């Protein structure tokens, strides 16, 4: 990738962040007196996009941004207020801005006239008089070029951000006749010089410059990283003299960048500068690093196991060194994995706009409540959650929430509420989307499923089975097809996408009270702290975070269940037992061995307890997760695979999947059907 392409990529990444922040702030605007700080931040977002777009020659993006920022600049003045139509105008103009950025990023031209209507609305809002006055002022400024003296002293933080003063000085040459003189007075002696300080500075004499703003535009991206003083000159005597020989730059003709005459000209003379605390790294690089560290962990585990068998107690120092190596490797792995973890805030921030637009289209009043935005999840998982959550929120607004009149008749507030929450539990992330609407009517759901031929009319289904019918392909309760719903593909897509991530989706509903969808997903797709167990001669890995305790049951604690199966009574609590060897189709030499074995009591994602019957605990171990679905196919009760120190591939058990398998069937029926 060449240098220019790298700069372009960085520009579009910054645009994405700026547009995201713009939308967050714009959605909270309301008619009336404005908050100058909020409006100022919205203005700076648009202005920063315009400045970068001008550097890369995206002329349509620059033209639209210029008119848009002119309106925003007027709106942020003292005493300004927003009319009832202004908030919607700002949000919709932001959409056009995002469209133009997306087209520029893809190297395509936006449809002809895509922004014309919005520009007309903005110009009408500004008023023809304002535009004419601005044209007169710009013409006057352009007709009277002036001379300036610029003092430019970079701070150390400017160099830390990989900015080059030389490029800024070259850009000044395009504004007019230019003479650059280095200032050497501030350079310390060789003994006192520090590699971390910014010691160089320059005095630049510029002749025939159209506006002071043209100079400030060049320093816009580094204005917080330097000391900048711009002085208008009347005579040659105004130029600061310096005994240092001057470097006279070659004069190049060029036009000044697009400017905003209303821009404030004040620049702080001295500001506390912090150090750079973050960098951008391609996700592909991080993925390769995670894979390499994973392979390192596997190699270290295999080496540790083989060497440990050869060393006796007399080699205690060597054993300690091996354990220290294992500890350092684990810390390295955890550090690399932390790089991939990101808070859900960036994902959740997209949905206020979804709720606002759809509720307006459907004529419903909806409040969106967000909780758990700081919960961190693997970056790969976050990217795959946008579409499923959008489908679920749209489903809640369209199908779940009643019309305002129906809510009032039912004794509910006219405004409906949708909650989007996230939390960590048992090493997994739980994301819930719930509403306080009408809930699912089991009779209506079942009747629709029968009508569409998804289930047989004489098939007996429990309440949970009926609720899960909404995830079947082709199911929809909508009476007609619209651009919001009715085709029966949304919830099926949700379940399919969540399964691809190694998760599951469930639904709970109460008629008249509302519906709650729960997504259960792994925190990361790479590593797992596990407990190694043995059942019927095979080794398996259980997620350590799901284990509550291990029990050696006494005969009096076991109870037979009518129809087959056993439960365990522990401290007044009855826990269903699931023999691991039976549900995975393993033939045990002694069918009654599990009665004398161990019961590992685990907690499912929904808080229920299940006892997994195994023969032996082999110890705790961190393993690298390998997808079984990618390399083979999805199997019920199996979350993935891991390569252990002996080089063998072992199954990582899915606690909820194992607990859901019907143990009253034959030993191999369920597992064979999955595999």
């Amino acid at each position: 990738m060449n240098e220019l392409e790298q700069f372009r990529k960085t520009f579009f990444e910054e645009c994405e962040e700026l547009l995201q922040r713009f939308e967050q702030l714009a959605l909270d605007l309301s008619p009336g007196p404005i908050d100058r700080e909020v409006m100022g931040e919205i203005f700076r977002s648009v202005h920063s996009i315009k400045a970068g777009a001008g550097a890369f020659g995206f002329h349509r993006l620059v033209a639209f941004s210029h008119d848009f920022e002119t309106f925003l600049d007027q709106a942020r003045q003292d005493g300004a207020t927003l009319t009832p139509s202004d908030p919607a105008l700002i949000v919709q103009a932001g959409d056009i801005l995002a469209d133009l950025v997306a087209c520029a990023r893809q190297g395509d031209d936006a449809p002809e006239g895509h922004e014309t209507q919005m520009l007309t609305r903005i110009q009408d809002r500004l008023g023809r008089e304002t535009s004419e006055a601005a044209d007169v002022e710009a013409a006057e400024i352009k007709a009277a070029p002036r001379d300036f003296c610029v003092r430019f002293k970079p701070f150390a933080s400017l160099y830390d951000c990989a900015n080059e003063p030389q490029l800024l000085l070259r850009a000044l040459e395009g504004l007019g006749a230019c003479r650059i003189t280095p200032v050497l007075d501030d350079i310390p002696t060789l003994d006192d010089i520090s590699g971390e300080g910014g010691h160089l500075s320059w005095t630049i004499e510029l002749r025939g410059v159209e506006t002071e703003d043209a100079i400030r535009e060049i320093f816009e991206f580094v204005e917080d990283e330097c000391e900048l003083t711009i002085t208008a000159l009347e005579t040659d005597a105004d130029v600061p003299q310096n005994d240092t020989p001057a470097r006279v730059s070659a004069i190049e003709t060029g036009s000044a960048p697009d400017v905003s005459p209303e821009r404030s000209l004040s620049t702080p003379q001295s500001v506390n500068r912090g150090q750079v605390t973050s960098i951008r790294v391609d996700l592909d690089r991080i993925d390769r690093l995670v894979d390499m560290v994973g392979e390192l962990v596997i190699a270290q585990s295999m080496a540790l196991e083989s060497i440990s068998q050869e060393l006796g107690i007399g080699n205690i120092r060597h054993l300690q060194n091996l354990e220290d190596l294992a500890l350092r490797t684990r810390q390295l792995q955890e550090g690399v994995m932390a790089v991939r973890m990101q808070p859900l805030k960036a994902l959740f921030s997209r949905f206020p706009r979804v709720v606002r637009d759809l509720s307006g289209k459907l004529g419903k009043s909806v409040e969106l409540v967000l909780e758990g935005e700081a919960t961190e999840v693997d970056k790969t998982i976050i990217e795959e959650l946008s579409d499923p959550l959008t489908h679920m929120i749209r489903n809640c607004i369209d199908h779940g929430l009643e019309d305002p009149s129906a809510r009032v008749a039912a004794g509910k507030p006219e405004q409906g509420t949708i909650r989007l929450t996230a939390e960590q539990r048992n090493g997994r992330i739980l994301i819930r989307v719930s509403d306080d609407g009408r809930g699912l009517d089991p009779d209506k759901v079942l009747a629709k499923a029968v009508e569409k031929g998804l289930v047989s009319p004489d098939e007996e289904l429990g309440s949970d089975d009926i609720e899960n019918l909404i995830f079947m392909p082709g199911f929809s309760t909508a009476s007609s097809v619209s651009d919001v719903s009715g085709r029966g593909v949304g919830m099926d897509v949700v379940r399919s996408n969540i399964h691809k991530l190694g998760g599951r989706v469930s639904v709970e509903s109460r008629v008249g009270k509302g519906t709650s969808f729960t997504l259960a997903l792994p925190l990361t797709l790479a590593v797992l702290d596990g407990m190694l167990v043995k059942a019927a001669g095979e080794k398996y890995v259980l997620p350590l975070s799901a284990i509550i305790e291990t029990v050696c049951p006494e005969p009096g604690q076991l109870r037979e269940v009518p129809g087959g199966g056993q439960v365990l009574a522990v401290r007044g609590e009855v826990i269903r037992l699931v023999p691991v060897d039976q549900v995975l189709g393993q033939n045990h030499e002694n069918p009654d061995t599990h009665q004398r074995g161990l019961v590992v009591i685990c907690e499912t994602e929904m808080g229920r307890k299940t006892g997994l019957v195994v023969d032996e605990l082999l110890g705790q171990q961190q393993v690298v997760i390998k997808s079984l679905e990618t390399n083979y196919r999805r199997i019920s009760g199996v979350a993935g695979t891991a390569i252990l120190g002996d080089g063998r591939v072992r199954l990582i058990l899915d606690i909820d999947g194992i607990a859901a398998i019907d143990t009253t069937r034959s030993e191999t029926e369920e597992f064979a059907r999955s595999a």
Side-chain angles (χ1 to χ4, degrees):
M1 181 183 298
N2 60 43
E3 186 174 329
L4 179 60
E5 187 60 30
Q6 181 62 48
F7 288 150
R8 284 169 57 95
K9 183 176 181 182
T10 301
F11 164 67
F12 287 120
E13 289 174 349
E14 291 174 348
C15 283
E16 186 176 343
E17 296 173 0
L18 291 168
L19 289 170
Q20 186 178 52
R21 182 58 179 162
F22 172 93
E23 186 168 284
Q24 290 175 357
L25 297 173
L27 288 174
D28 290 333
L29 294 176
S30 57
I34 58 100
D35 184 325
R36 288 197 64 196
E37 291 187 5
V38 172
M39 190 59 68
E41 188 171 352
I42 292 175
F43 169 83
R44 287 190 293 274
S45 297
V46 177
H47 186 71
S48 297
I49 291 174
K50 186 193 82 168
F56 292 105
F58 301 133
H59 302 298
R60 288 180 66 181
L61 182 54
V62 170
F64 179 80
S65 301
H66 180 67
D67 279 5
F68 189 16
E69 74 168 355
T70 302
F71 163 59
L72 294 173
D73 189 45
Q74 186 184 80
R76 66 176 181 156
Q77 301 304 318
D78 289 328
T81 61
L82 295 180
T83 68
S85 62
D86 281 347
L89 174 64
I90 292 173
V91 171
Q92 292 162 9
D95 291 342
I96 299 296
L97 184 64
D99 292 342
L100 294 175
V101 169
C103 290
R105 187 172 198 166
Q106 297 165 6
D108 299 329
D109 287 332
E112 188 67 29
H114 183 65
E115 68 272 32
T116 303
Q117 184 178 0
M118 181 56 64
L119 283 172
T120 301
R121 292 176 60 189
I122 291 174
Q123 290 164 0
D124 288 345
R125 176 65 178 85
L126 287 170
R128 186 175 300 277
E129 296 81 4
T130 303
S131 299
E132 291 174 352
D135 292 340
V136 172
E137 181 181 357
E140 290 175 351
I141 292 175
K142 187 172 183 179
R146 304 173 64 187
D147 302 337
F148 294 91
C149 178
V150 180
R151 286 295 302 267
F152 170 47
K153 182 177 181 178
F155 298 131
S157 56
L158 182 142
Y159 300 100
D160 293 338
C161 296
N163 290 304
E164 287 287 350
Q166 181 183 12
L167 300 178
L168 300 172
L169 297 176
R170 286 180 180 173
L172 290 174
E173 296 174 357
L175 299 182
C178 178
R179 189 171 78 158
I180 302 172
T181 305
V183 179
L184 306 179
D185 298 343
D186 297 333
I187 299 179
T189 63
L190 190 59
D191 293 335
D192 298 331
I193 199 166
S194 169
E196 297 180 357
H199 307 297
L200 295 175
S201 60
W202 294 268
T203 298
I204 305 102
E205 179 186 349
L206 286 166
R207 299 286 183 179
V209 180
E210 292 182 355
T211 66
E212 182 176 338
D213 277 345
I215 301 173
R216 293 192 179 277
E217 287 278 355
I218 290 175
F219 292 94
E220 180 173 13
F221 286 109
V222 296
E223 61 183 355
D224 293 334
E225 313 294 344
C226 67
E227 181 178 321
L228 183 67
T229 306
I230 303 175
T231 306
L233 299 179
E234 300 299 334
T235 64
D236 291 343
D238 291 333
V239 182
Q241 299 301 314
N242 193 293
D243 295 334
T244 307
R247 179 179 69 83
V248 181
S249 301
I251 307 302
E252 298 179 7
T253 59
S255 59
D258 190 17
V259 300
S260 174
E262 297 85 358
R263 178 184 168 91
S264 172
L265 302 182
S266 60
T267 298
Q269 297 303 308
S270 62
V271 185
N272 245 347
R273 305 299 174 215
Q275 296 297 317
V276 178
T277 58
S278 64
I279 60 174
R280 287 188 175 91
V281 181
D282 287 341
L283 189 59
D284 289 342
R285 293 188 179 185
I286 297 178
D287 288 339
R288 289 196 297 270
L289 182 60
V290 169
D291 290 339
M292 291 170 61
V293 172
E295 296 301 323
L296 174 64
V297 170
I298 294 173
Q300 177 267 332
S301 177
M302 296 175 67
L304 181 62
E305 180 165 325
S306 60
I307 295 175
S308 298
Q309 294 174 356
E310 302 296 330
L311 297 178
I313 191 64
N315 304 105
I316 186 65
R317 179 173 298 179
H318 296 305
L319 291 172
Q320 289 174 341
N321 290 338
L322 289 174
E323 288 299 326
D324 184 62
L325 173 62
L327 175 62
R328 303 301 177 193
T329 305
R330 180 187 178 100
Q331 291 174 342
L332 172 63
Q333 186 178 36
E334 291 175 349
V336 171
M337 291 309 306
V339 176
R340 289 180 58 95
M341 305 299 283
Q342 291 191 348
L344 284 167
K345 183 176 181 179
L347 174 65
F348 280 16
S349 64
R350 305 175 188 177
F351 298 117
R353 177 65 185 278
V354 175
V355 171
R356 174 174 173 165
D357 290 349
L358 188 57
S359 60
K361 180 181 294 186
L362 298 176
K364 298 180 179 180
S365 177
V366 183
E367 177 190 16
L368 177 64
V369 178
L370 303 176
E371 298 177 3
E373 297 171 276
T375 305
E376 291 190 338
V377 187
D378 190 292
K379 169 69 173 176
T380 303
I381 294 177
I382 290 179
E383 292 178 344
E384 297 295 332
L385 282 178
S386 179
D387 286 347
L389 287 178
T390 300
H391 278 301
M392 296 168 74
I393 290 175
R394 290 167 63 92
N395 189 81
C396 287
I397 298 175
D398 189 23
H399 298 297
L401 297 179
E402 309 94 332
D403 293 330
S405 58
R407 291 182 62 85
V408 172
K412 297 180 180 181
E414 183 176 329
Q415 184 179 58
T417 300
I418 292 179
R419 292 185 178 274
L420 177 58
T421 66
E423 63 173 322
Q424 290 186 19
R425 181 182 296 176
N426 297 336
R428 293 173 77 82
I429 178 75
L430 297 186
I431 300 178
R432 288 190 176 89
V433 180
S434 57
D435 64 66
D436 62 348
R438 60 174 63 89
L440 292 174
D441 185 337
D443 295 336
K444 182 179 179 180
V445 171
L446 183 58
K448 271 289 183 182
V450 172
E451 176 187 332
K452 293 180 176 293
L454 301 177
V455 296
S456 172
D458 55 354
E459 187 173 350
E460 295 184 4
L461 300 175
S463 58
D464 291 345
D465 296 327
I466 293 176
E467 290 175 348
N468 282 299
L469 289 175
I470 65 173
F471 296 107
M472 296 187 69
F475 181 88
S476 175
T477 57
S479 56
S480 61
V481 175
S482 68
D483 59 347
V484 177
S485 63
R487 299 190 183 275
V489 295
M491 299 310 293
D492 174 45
V493 170
V494 168
R495 184 169 64 175
S496 175
N497 289 353
I498 297 304
H499 281 177
K500 290 178 182 178
L501 294 173
R504 63 177 58 82
V505 56
S506 59
V507 57
E508 296 181 50
S509 183
R510 294 174 59 192
V511 177
K513 300 295 183 181
T515 303
S516 176
F517 297 95
T518 301
L519 307 182
L521 297 151
L523 281 175
T524 175
L525 302 177
V527 296
L528 174 76
D529 285 317
M531 178 67 72
L532 199 60
V533 301
K534 180 182 284 188
E538 290 290 335
K539 296 178 182 178
Y540 302 97
V541 179
L542 300 180
L544 188 64
S545 58
I547 298 176
I548 300 175
E549 63 177 317
T550 304
V551 177
C552 294
E554 299 293 334
Q557 293 179 289
L558 300 174
R559 297 285 188 274
E560 298 292 334
V561 177
Q566 290 183 317
V567 294
L568 173 68
V570 180
R571 295 184 291 276
E573 188 174 8
V574 177
I575 300 172
R576 174 174 174 253
L577 296 183
V578 180
V580 172
D581 56 338
Q582 290 187 18
V583 296
L584 296 182
Q586 300 296 316
N587 294 321
H588 207 295
E589 296 179 0
N590 185 353
D592 297 326
T593 299
H594 65 272
Q595 296 187 7
R596 302 190 303 273
L598 297 171
V599 176
V600 182
I601 300 178
C602 301
E603 185 179 34
T604 66
E605 291 152 358
M606 303 308 295
R608 302 185 182 93
K609 293 181 180 179
T610 298
L612 302 186
V613 182
V614 300
D615 298 333
E616 186 179 356
L617 294 180
L618 302 179
Q620 178 181 341
Q621 185 172 343
Q622 188 177 62
V623 298
V624 179
I625 302 173
K626 301 293 184 181
S627 172
L628 184 62
E629 186 172 354
T630 300
N631 299 288
Y632 180 52
R633 61 167 167 257
R634 183 177 178 83
I635 296 179
S636 300
V638 178
T641 62
I643 302 175
L644 302 186
D646 58 3
R648 298 283 302 276
V649 177
R650 304 297 182 182
L651 299 180
I652 302 173
L653 301 186
D654 175 8
I655 303 300
D656 286 69
I658 289 287
I661 295 178
D662 187 355
T663 57
T664 62
R665 301 181 183 181
S666 64
E667 294 182 359
T668 60
E669 178 183 352
E670 185 72 23
F671 188 77
R673 186 177 63 182
S674 299

